[in-house]
Amino acid sequence: MSYNFCLLSMSCSRLLATFWIAGLFLVPCLRAVDAKRQPNVVVITIDTLRADHLGCYGYKQIRTPNIDALAAESARFERAYTPVPVTLPAHTAIFTGTYPTLSGMHDFSGNKLNATQPTLASVLKQQGYVTGAVVGSAVLDSRFGLNRGFDFYYDHFDFNRLQESNLEEMERPGNVVADVALDWLDKNHAGKFFLWMHLYDPHYPYRPPAPYNDQYKDRPYDGEIAFADEQVGRLISYLKAKDLYRNTLIVLTGDHGESLGEHGEKTHGFFIYNATLHVPVLVHLPGTTAASSVSELASLTDVMPTVLQAVNVAVPAEVQGHSLLPLLTAHKEDSASVYAETFLPRLHFNWSELRSVETEKYQFIEAPKPELYDLAADPGETRNLYAEKKAVGGELQARLKAMVRQYSADQELAEKTGLDPALMERLKSLGYAGFSGGSNTTATDNSWPDPKDRIQIYELISDAIALSQHGEYRSSTEKLNATLKTEPDSVPVHYLLGLNYYRLQEYPRAIDNLQRVLELSPDYALAAFQLGLAYAQHGDFDQAIRALKRTLELDGTNFSAAYNLGAAYLRKEMIPEAASAFRQAATINPEYAEAHRSLGEVLLYQGQVDQALAELRRATELDPHDPEIHAALAKALAEKGLNAEADEEMRKAQQAPPQ
């Protein structure tokens, strides 16, 4: 789906712990490690993986022989938790050792990891490690910044084509991830290496391949996990076959869990109950062949300092997590607690964010209607004890506030990026809220609705998004309109309605809803962009120009807005303005072939043949299969008198497959 509207279809003690972090003690089980070099490091993250759906954590309805075998030679952390149940910020916590309150990576909301923030890859690279990563989903695309420090970062997702037929290009199956990871490992295992392999398969929608689709016909989520287990086995087998396993530190973890209908939530991200916070963490230390079980609380922010201590590398000062290695030889004496949050309701719906603190016994959730659960008596968190145990709730509320202060910065580090329309559309295709209809993270207001009171609305909107992704715009629109009875001023609902009506070619309705969005949220750049497209399709190019110019004022990175602004100027026969807009699009995104082609055609019309040729040649380099680009270049070559080259380009135009 092109965004050109002319073509658009649309511890042990504190003292002991200090010595550990300083690297003054060595883990006894590391003595068997190859003394010639530091251990290799392998981190395996399996998306959306509940701990209680693995054999090694006691689940009897699944076969995960490879993960279970790794657990039999590893430390298994029984109570490890993600600080945020969303893929990108959870992985940010894993690889920076920091909480979202510092990194600023709360969700998919136009943020990118700050370039100054150390990552596990950047630290290990400085220590001479060769670093490689293979990720299974576009939600970890390099544009979010997690590629920093990696010599090789295999994402390779196409955000520009938005047809339903290629939505699968936004994720890749685990066997393909393993293929690429093993290929990289085969070329780089001679020296010390750090490999991150990310398996996305257990993520919704659950579509396990054969034979797991038959073996787990009634439990497809488990089937996806079993398939991921097979890929883990391939990597472990390779390490053993190459005699690398004994000198490799391996961490296997989930980034978050999955609700599977608990508390009314189908997937994850909206609530912060343990169904989505509790994750498996296995740490296999080089030279270790015995299993151990650790019952103390752990956070995914602890992964980075754990790895760095294990390979005897200093932990950066910015890291907020703590090494877990002391827990393998001693028990913590002080009472631990872990922090978690979700800002998805806040960032996308203007409903309250949720924060929590979990202790050995309780989980307290800060919300407009606070929640307190006795995890020993009520592990499913079904009975809220806050009204009965206000003293406990008050103590934990104070502890939570102290943790937020401790983990926060004067200013969050994340860098702002533009909300690329294609990227947002892709996030929706993967089941994420591909829009930003709420407020920022800098203030708290308990007058906002409690997510507990909006879960049915949220799931209705999620269903509507899924219907829209499959082209069922009428059904999607019916569900969205139903939500307006409860949420008449919902920014995301009006935005999504605007998109649906646009695709249904009901442009006046699209315009009405998108205008309402901008009344409610005047700085919503994507809404202004979509409004510009709707005006253009409706034939009101003056309003289209105003909306697209406003878009670029709000978000100077939106190359599609600049391109479509140029197209609108052309319809008004404002040639110099069109050329300027197309040039702006090509400047914002130098890899955007359409912008170079259109600029070249306008320059040719203005008689600037040499400049036109430069732009059109660049366009053919970027998209050699587009017949229209070759035809435009042929025309420019003919104007220049280069007839032989012109004939060759016209031949290419005629032979190119239709776009």
Side-chain angles (χ1 to χ4, degrees):
M1 175 174 164
S2 168
Y3 278 94
N4 173 6
F5 67 73
C6 299
L7 304 172
L8 192 59
S9 61
M10 231 222 69
S11 96
C12 58
S13 69
R14 295 178 186 271
L15 179 61
L16 180 58
T18 301
F19 285 137
W20 274 98
I21 293 170
L24 300 179
F25 289 106
L26 293 176
V27 181
C29 53
L30 290 180
R31 293 172 180 167
V33 172
D34 184 351
K36 295 180 181 179
R37 70 181 193 192
Q38 291 169 292
N40 305 307
V41 176
V42 170
V43 174
I44 304 168
T45 60
I46 304 179
D47 219 285
T48 323
L49 181 59
R50 286 178 64 135
D52 60 1
H53 276 246
L54 289 174
C56 56
Y57 280 82
Y59 189 52
K60 304 300 183 184
Q61 300 184 63
I62 196 171
R63 290 188 68 255
T64 48
N66 298 293
I67 296 175
D68 296 350
L70 179 65
E73 297 181 345
S74 303
R76 175 171 54 86
F77 290 83
E78 297 176 4
R79 298 189 63 189
Y81 302 91
T82 184
V84 53
V86 182
T87 298
L88 174 63
H91 280 88
T92 301
I94 291 171
F95 290 112
T96 67
T98 62
Y99 292 93
T101 47
L102 176 66
S103 71
M105 301 293 283
H106 296 275
D107 192 73
F108 302 98
S109 54
N111 285 346
K112 178 180 181 179
L113 187 67
N114 191 289
T116 66
Q117 192 169 359
T119 67
L120 181 57
S122 68
V123 173
L124 291 179
K125 183 176 173 62
Q126 291 174 347
Q127 295 294 314
Y129 281 78
V130 59
T131 56
V134 186
V135 300
S137 172
V139 297
L140 296 175
D141 186 81
S142 57
R143 70 179 64 197
F144 297 119
L146 282 179
N147 63 318
R148 196 155 33 79
F150 283 105
D151 302 308
F152 174 80
Y153 195 88
Y154 191 87
D155 46 3
H156 300 190
F157 298 103
D158 179 8
F159 287 96
N160 295 314
R161 293 174 55 218
L162 298 179
Q163 293 88 352
E164 174 66 27
S165 60
N166 81 317
L167 290 181
E168 70 278 359
E169 292 186 16
M170 289 300 94
E171 57 178 297
R172 58 177 57 93
N175 59 305
V176 176
V177 172
D179 287 345
V180 177
L182 292 175
D183 180 68
W184 179 86
L185 200 53
D186 202 45
K187 298 172 183 175
N188 292 279
H189 70 266
K192 61 184 181 181
F193 60 83
F194 166 40
L195 170 66
W196 167 30
M197 184 173 79
H198 167 248
L199 300 170
Y200 194 66
D201 303 273
H203 198 282
Y204 182 85
Y206 319 125
R207 295 173 295 201
Y212 304 103
N213 56 341
D214 287 330
Q215 295 174 8
Y216 298 92
K217 187 181 305 181
D218 299 325
R219 302 190 315 280
Y221 172 69
D222 288 352
E224 295 271 32
I225 295 172
F227 175 62
D229 176 81
E230 178 185 340
Q231 312 316 315
V232 172
R234 293 175 61 197
L235 177 54
I236 300 299
S237 295
Y238 180 92
L239 294 173
K240 290 181 176 178
K242 295 293 184 179
D243 196 27
L244 299 167
Y245 182 77
R246 66 185 182 89
N247 195 43
T248 299
L249 168 67
I250 302 171
V251 177
L252 183 146
T253 183
D255 60 341
H256 54 73
E258 189 80 318
S259 280
L260 300 175
E262 294 184 32
H263 302 277
E265 182 182 30
K266 293 178 183 177
T267 58
H268 59 272
F270 194 74
F271 287 143
I272 48 174
Y273 301 109
N274 280 337
T276 60
L277 297 185
H278 186 205
V279 293
V281 171
L282 305 177
V283 178
H284 173 76
L285 294 167
T288 303
T289 58
S292 61
S293 178
V294 181
S295 60
E296 284 82 4
L297 299 176
S299 168
L300 288 184
T301 58
D302 300 331
V303 170
M304 180 178 177
T306 300
V307 170
L308 292 179
Q309 185 191 349
V311 299
N312 204 24
V313 172
V315 178
E318 298 90 337
V319 170
Q320 296 174 317
H322 302 280
S323 173
L324 299 172
L325 295 186
L327 301 181
L328 304 186
T329 57
H331 293 285
K332 294 182 78 171
E333 293 181 358
D334 54 335
S335 179
S337 53
V338 292
Y339 168 84
E341 66 169 45
T342 180
F343 274 73
L344 186 153
R346 168 88 166 271
L347 291 168
H348 300 294
F349 299 97
N350 258 347
W351 302 333
S352 179
E353 76 277 13
L354 300 172
R355 300 182 192 261
S356 76
V357 57
E358 183 155 338
T359 69
E360 290 289 337
K361 182 175 176 59
Y362 294 104
Q363 162 132 272
F364 170 78
I365 300 175
E366 177 72 274
K369 300 175 183 177
E371 302 170 62
L372 177 68
Y373 298 99
D374 183 332
L375 298 173
D378 179 25
E381 297 164 292
T382 61
R383 185 184 175 199
N384 184 1
L385 301 177
Y386 184 76
E388 302 173 31
K389 295 179 177 281
K390 287 193 174 180
V392 174
E395 189 275 329
L396 291 178
Q397 188 171 36
R399 186 184 301 194
L400 175 60
K401 290 180 179 178
M403 294 174 79
V404 171
R405 287 194 300 270
Q406 176 186 353
Y407 296 143
S408 297
D410 292 335
Q411 182 175 353
E412 293 179 347
L413 297 177
E415 300 172 353
K416 285 292 181 183
T417 62
L419 292 172
D420 180 345
L423 169 59
M424 292 296 104
E425 191 72 11
R426 284 307 196 183
L427 290 179
K428 285 196 296 175
S429 78
L430 294 170
Y432 287 96
F435 46 80
S436 184
S439 58
N440 61 32
T441 62
T442 59
T444 295
D445 183 349
N446 283 334
S447 67
W448 286 323
D450 192 311
K452 293 188 291 295
D453 298 330
R454 293 294 186 270
I455 182 60
Q456 292 179 329
I457 297 295
Y458 170 71
E459 292 295 348
L460 193 60
I461 294 171
S462 298
D463 290 344
I465 291 172
L467 287 166
S468 176
Q469 286 296 325
H470 291 84
E472 299 179 35
Y473 304 123
R474 291 285 179 200
S475 297
S476 173
T477 297
E478 289 176 9
K479 288 183 179 291
L480 291 170
N481 278 320
T483 68
L484 291 178
K485 297 174 183 177
T486 304
E487 294 280 314
D489 295 330
S490 170
V491 169
V493 171
H494 283 291
Y495 176 75
L496 293 168
L497 280 169
L499 297 186
N500 278 354
Y501 284 127
Y502 182 94
R503 289 156 178 157
L504 289 166
Q505 299 183 20
E506 297 182 20
Y507 302 118
R509 287 186 173 183
I511 290 168
D512 287 346
N513 277 278
L514 293 167
Q515 285 179 328
R516 182 62 179 142
V517 171
L518 291 169
E519 290 171 6
L520 296 165
S521 183
D523 295 339
Y524 194 172
L526 269 183
F529 170 67
Q530 299 292 351
L531 179 61
L533 299 182
Y535 272 127
Q537 287 287 16
H538 195 46
D540 190 338
F541 297 105
D542 289 328
Q543 290 287 6
I545 288 168
R546 291 190 186 95
L548 293 168
K549 289 176 70 174
R550 175 59 177 160
T551 302
L552 289 164
E553 291 172 2
L554 294 168
D555 177 11
T557 71
N558 192 332
F559 57 89
S560 294
Y563 180 84
N564 284 281
L565 178 61
Y569 279 131
L570 279 183
R571 296 297 295 267
K572 295 278 293 180
E573 299 184 2
M574 300 170 68
I575 306 304
E577 290 85 353
S580 177
F582 289 139
R583 192 180 302 280
Q584 183 179 7
T587 300
I588 296 169
N589 182 2
E591 307 298 307
Y592 191 18
E594 283 291 304
H596 290 284
R597 188 198 80 180
S598 297
L599 177 58
E601 290 179 316
V602 171
L603 290 170
L604 185 62
Y605 177 82
Q606 292 177 311
Q608 302 179 50
V609 180
D610 290 336
Q611 290 142 303
L613 278 171
E615 294 296 333
L616 292 167
R617 289 187 192 280
R618 178 60 179 149
T620 59
E621 293 172 2
L622 293 169
D623 190 355
H625 303 298
D626 188 335
E628 294 184 11
I629 295 177
H630 287 292
L633 179 55
K635 185 177 179 181
L637 289 165
E639 287 284 336
K640 188 70 174 176
L642 301 172
N643 295 323
E645 286 187 61
D647 290 343
E648 175 64 16
E649 289 301 321
M650 189 56 68
R651 182 187 63 80
K652 291 179 181 178
Q654 293 167 350
Q655 293 180 348
Q659 295 288 295

